Amino acid sequence: MNKFIKNIAIAIFAFIVISLLFAMYNNPAGKPREISLSELAQKINNDKVQEILISGNKLEIKSQDQEFKSQKEAETGLSETLVNFGVQKEKLRNIDIKNQDNSGTKFILGTLIPFLFPFILIGLFFWFIMRQAQRGNSQALSFGNSKAKMQDPKNKKNRVTFDDVAGLKEAKVELQEVVEFLKFPKKFQKLGAKIPKGVLLVGPPGCGKTLLAKGVAGEANAPFFHISGSEFVEMFVGVGASRVRDLFKQAKKNAPAIVFIDEIDAVGRQRGAGLGGGHDEREQTLNQILVEMDGFDTKDNVIVIAATNRPDVLDPALLRPGRFDRNVAIDNPDISEREQILKIHARKKPLKKSVNLRKIAERTPGFSGADLMNLMNEGAILTARRGKKLIGMDELIESIEKVMLGPERTTRIITDKEKRITAYHEAGHALIAHSLPNCDPIHKVSIISRGKAAGYTLKLPTHEKYFQTKSDFLDELVVLLAGHTAEKMIFDDVTTGASNDLEKATKIARNLVTKFGMSDLGPIVWGDREDTVFLGKEIHESKNYSEQMASKIDKTINEFIKKAQTKARKILKQNKKKLEKIAKVLLEKETIEREEFEKLLGKKAIVKAS
């Protein structure tokens, strides 16, 4: 209301200003003085008149220094009138006399428009105000409508099928039943079978959950409603629940259809947790989702697919049978799946014939589908930057390191001493990793700074690993402590460069004792992690052991670290010449690839050191 009054006041003020302007226009301060015909005749005889403009019976006279106006006789011509007033004909010929057209158009433009223009302007202003008010009312009425984006199955351009989703064979089999139900529902209804109402896709970020859901819609040729969990919740209570009702209403109208809720943990967190966003609006939205899913009928032909990477924080009511009663686990791709994903992302990219995507897949263990897409994109960008027309292996391999560690920091200036310390540090890691039997082969050693790392040693497994043994962890501890130990042995001093290695080593040692049960304290998990979460992080870990046991745990962790350090020191002393050789090559070339590294040290040897 206050805004409306303010707008009215502005309109009135604008009207007054415009009226004043037109008044000044119609009655300007320098208005021409009106003279008689006799005075005009005298000025003509005195050669003071240059031009006369005739508009009907009105005369506009221009002299050398000013302007006048007058009025002629209605029934007599101007020339005849002026002669009658004693004007010499020779003087009259020297004056420029013009007749102005006084047609109806001229009259309208000159008379009516200046009068009507303020009213037209005010009318337009009020129309704009009313239009804004109607828009505000329509927005208020549509505030509770769903913001879901519908992907039309008729749009073949953006259609995604299972052929566009590499790997994930088990997940595709699980979801193929959903596709079959949407395409042929009677096939299941005749047998009394009920298809799951909701399917929960669980996996790490970037593993392809959203793409897989789009693939289900593409295979079933059904409308696909996509919305994020965070788009339900607003600051106004009841809006989220209203949007949920509207979403399911739209889906039922377009059945058979698929409703995909991405990041459902944003709205589906466990109720009553206190922390992690347990306000009334979010809980009302969650309750409405539960109610809508209970209201499904087998004839509705609407499937709800949701995705999350935090299934542990979801409310149990979501996961019970009848709602999201089928969980599909999606892991990061293995080597064969990574190769297939790379082929999909390489479809529209010009590659050299020498590019071997299998080798790229071998060098990218642990990469998600999103990481691999980013890798191919970075390779294309790097190729364009270098002025090449085809993407080669060099660009793709460099892109792997860029995705893993960050771009090269070529502008960082380091001293010779720092460069030498980095060379021995990385040589220590590489030498011990090559020496221990349970470590992955060395693929690359470099002292070129990337991201926050001054240098790096790249170890890659020869095959996929789904379990790790105690021996694997112990050897990894030795490798992590090798850089710190090499610095101490060569320079009799240590630097902050090993801080990240020490942090990782401490974490592994603690997990060996408290989480994996791989210490002499027995196969017991020490410490009870509670489900209370805040911003997706665990904030509390209660101690289910005494202070005496805490002392033993700390002592055991320290023993793991000390033993690994002793073993690293022993291997480095026994192979000091090899350490010097690796460091020397690094100082010369800055980078050693796998083939050259194996020429320096020979084939991977098994070193037994107590």
Side-chain angles (χ1 to χ4, degrees):
M1 188 65 183
N2 292 334
K3 188 175 180 181
F4 181 75
I5 294 172
K6 182 180 178 182
N7 291 334
I8 292 295
I10 292 172
I12 294 172
F13 178 75
F15 174 72
I16 293 172
V17 171
I18 292 168
S19 300
L20 290 173
L21 289 173
F22 273 98
M24 292 175 65
Y25 174 77
N26 291 326
N27 298 287
K31 186 177 180 181
R33 183 170 65 88
E34 189 169 354
I35 61 176
S36 64
L37 288 175
S38 60
E39 188 178 350
L40 174 60
Q42 185 179 359
K43 287 183 178 293
I44 293 173
N45 287 330
N46 294 332
D47 296 327
K48 292 184 177 181
V49 176
Q50 295 177 338
E51 181 182 325
I52 299 175
L53 181 63
I54 304 171
S55 178
N57 293 329
K58 294 180 180 180
L59 303 177
E60 294 179 12
I61 303 105
K62 293 183 181 180
S63 66
Q64 296 176 354
D65 53 353
Q66 57 183 327
E67 295 182 1
F68 305 96
K69 67 179 183 177
S70 185
Q71 192 164 358
K72 75 178 183 66
E73 295 176 355
E75 297 177 356
T76 309
L78 177 62
S79 300
E80 184 181 351
T81 301
L82 291 175
V83 169
N84 292 336
F85 275 91
V87 175
Q88 300 174 15
K89 292 184 178 182
E90 292 78 8
K91 300 285 185 180
L92 195 59
R93 291 191 189 99
N94 296 329
I95 299 172
D96 187 11
I97 300 175
K98 297 179 180 178
N99 283 308
Q100 186 177 19
D101 183 19
N102 198 17
S103 63
T105 305
K106 204 81 171 180
F107 174 76
I108 292 173
L109 293 175
T111 306
L112 293 180
I113 287 183
F115 175 75
L116 294 175
F117 181 75
F119 296 99
I120 295 171
L121 186 65
I122 292 171
L124 289 173
F125 183 80
F126 276 103
W127 174 81
F128 177 75
I129 294 295
M130 296 302 294
R131 186 168 175 266
Q132 289 296 107
Q134 290 176 359
R135 181 181 293 180
N137 291 334
S138 64
Q139 287 178 349
L141 293 173
S142 64
F143 197 63
N145 292 349
S146 169
K147 294 184 178 181
K149 304 173 186 67
M150 189 187 84
Q151 183 174 319
D152 194 342
K154 296 179 182 178
N155 186 358
K156 304 297 182 182
K157 183 178 180 181
N158 297 324
R159 185 181 177 186
V160 177
T161 64
F162 283 162
D163 292 335
D164 301 311
V165 185
L168 304 177
K169 293 181 181 178
E170 295 81 4
K172 287 179 183 178
V173 171
E174 289 286 325
L175 293 172
Q176 187 63 38
E177 295 177 6
V178 174
V179 174
E180 291 290 326
F181 175 77
L182 290 172
K183 290 173 105 174
F184 314 107
K186 293 182 180 180
K187 173 182 175 181
F188 295 87
Q189 292 169 2
K190 286 180 181 179
L191 297 173
K194 294 181 179 180
I195 201 70
K197 295 180 180 179
V199 179
L200 185 66
L201 305 179
V202 180
C207 65
K209 301 185 289 293
T210 303
L211 190 65
L212 191 60
K214 289 182 178 180
V216 175
E219 289 289 332
N221 200 28
F224 182 76
F225 292 87
H226 178 277
I227 191 170
S228 172
S230 61
E231 291 184 73
F232 287 115
V233 182
E234 294 282 353
M235 64 178 291
F236 302 108
V237 176
V239 173
S242 175
R243 289 178 177 175
V244 171
R245 288 192 294 271
D246 186 64
L247 171 62
F248 282 90
K249 183 180 178 181
Q250 290 182 42
K252 289 176 183 178
K253 280 184 179 179
N254 292 275
I258 292 175
V259 175
F260 178 63
I261 305 175
D262 200 5
E263 304 294 345
I264 194 173
D265 50 277
V267 71
R269 285 175 176 264
Q270 186 171 353
R271 292 167 290 183
L275 295 174
H279 53 81
D280 292 339
E281 168 62 2
R282 186 190 60 78
E283 292 193 1
Q284 285 191 24
T285 306
L286 174 58
N287 291 336
Q288 190 62 44
I289 292 175
L290 299 176
V291 170
E292 291 292 338
M293 294 191 72
D294 275 342
F296 272 9
D297 187 28
T298 53
K299 297 180 181 180
D300 286 334
N301 291 357
V302 177
I303 304 294
V304 181
I305 302 177
T308 182
N309 55 1
R310 289 300 308 272
D312 53 309
V313 303
L314 295 180
D315 194 280
L318 272 175
L319 305 177
R320 75 159 176 81
R323 287 172 182 149
F324 288 104
D325 45 8
R326 176 169 294 189
N327 290 358
V328 178
I330 302 175
D331 297 320
N332 282 331
D334 58 23
I335 185 170
S336 298
E337 292 173 338
R338 289 198 298 275
E339 185 180 3
Q340 294 174 29
I341 293 172
L342 288 169
K343 287 179 179 178
I344 288 176
H345 292 303
R347 285 176 181 173
K348 297 182 180 180
K349 294 179 174 63
L351 302 180
K352 288 184 179 179
K353 293 182 179 180
S354 59
V355 170
N356 189 336
L357 293 179
R358 180 71 180 187
K359 288 187 176 180
I360 301 298
E362 290 174 356
R363 297 178 73 109
T364 53
F367 273 43
S368 65
D371 290 330
L372 294 170
M373 180 183 68
N374 190 28
L375 185 156
M376 295 300 295
N377 186 57
E378 289 290 344
I381 292 173
L382 186 59
T383 303
R385 194 187 305 159
R386 292 176 176 176
K388 298 180 179 180
K389 295 183 179 180
L390 297 176
I391 303 172
M393 281 293 287
D394 293 340
E395 286 77 25
L396 292 176
I397 290 173
E398 188 170 340
S399 297
I400 294 173
E401 296 167 17
K402 185 176 181 180
V403 172
M404 292 175 64
L405 303 168
E408 286 187 3
R409 302 183 65 179
T410 54
T411 58
R412 175 183 280 186
I413 300 173
I414 61 174
T415 63
D416 292 338
K417 182 180 178 182
E418 289 175 334
K419 190 174 182 180
R420 193 162 176 263
I421 291 172
T422 304
Y424 276 98
H425 181 104
E426 298 304 330
H429 285 309
L431 175 61
I432 290 186
H434 184 75
S435 303
L436 295 176
N438 298 300
C439 290
D440 297 324
I442 299 294
H443 272 249
K444 188 174 184 177
V445 187
S446 177
I447 58 172
I448 298 174
S449 178
R450 280 187 178 273
K452 294 182 179 180
Y456 57 95
T457 300
L458 189 61
K459 301 190 278 70
L460 297 175
T462 55
H463 57 278
E464 299 294 330
K465 288 185 178 181
Y466 301 102
F467 297 101
Q468 283 185 289
T469 65
K470 182 180 178 180
S471 300
D472 293 336
F473 285 121
L474 292 179
D475 283 0
E476 184 63 23
L477 276 177
V478 180
V479 174
L480 288 170
L481 293 168
H484 179 272
T485 306
E487 290 179 16
K488 181 70 174 176
M489 187 177 77
I490 300 298
F491 302 101
D492 196 24
D493 199 0
V494 290
T495 67
T496 57
S499 58
N500 186 248
D501 296 333
L502 299 179
E503 184 180 347
K504 291 179 180 178
T506 305
K507 186 176 181 179
I508 289 175
R510 181 168 292 279
N511 286 338
L512 283 170
V513 179
T514 62
K515 190 176 180 180
F516 303 141
M518 293 181 178
S519 69
D520 294 337
L521 297 180
I524 302 173
V525 175
W526 305 102
D528 185 18
R529 289 178 177 80
E530 295 186 359
D531 292 335
T532 305
V533 294
F534 180 69
L535 297 178
K537 301 281 186 180
E538 294 171 349
I539 62 170
H540 185 66
E541 183 178 27
S542 62
K543 290 185 178 181
N544 57 359
Y545 48 86
S546 64
E547 291 299 325
Q548 291 81 4
M549 182 54 66
S551 178
K552 290 181 180 179
I553 290 172
D554 291 340
K555 184 179 179 182
T556 307
I557 293 171
N558 191 47
E559 287 176 357
F560 275 125
I561 298 294
K562 290 292 183 183
K563 286 181 180 179
Q565 189 178 29
T566 302
K567 188 172 183 178
R569 189 183 299 113
K570 184 174 182 179
I571 294 174
L572 290 175
K573 284 183 178 180
Q574 291 176 347
N575 300 274
K576 190 175 181 180
K577 290 183 179 179
K578 293 181 179 179
L579 180 69
E580 297 278 359
K581 187 188 296 184
I582 298 170
K584 183 180 179 181
V585 175
L586 282 173
L587 288 170
E588 291 176 358
K589 298 184 177 181
E590 294 187 335
T591 299
I592 305 176
E593 293 288 346
R594 179 178 180 178
E595 294 77 10
E596 186 177 1
F597 184 80
E598 289 182 348
K599 287 180 181 179
L600 286 174
L601 300 186
K603 292 183 180 180
K604 186 174 173 67
I606 298 177
V607 179
K608 295 183 179 180
S610 58

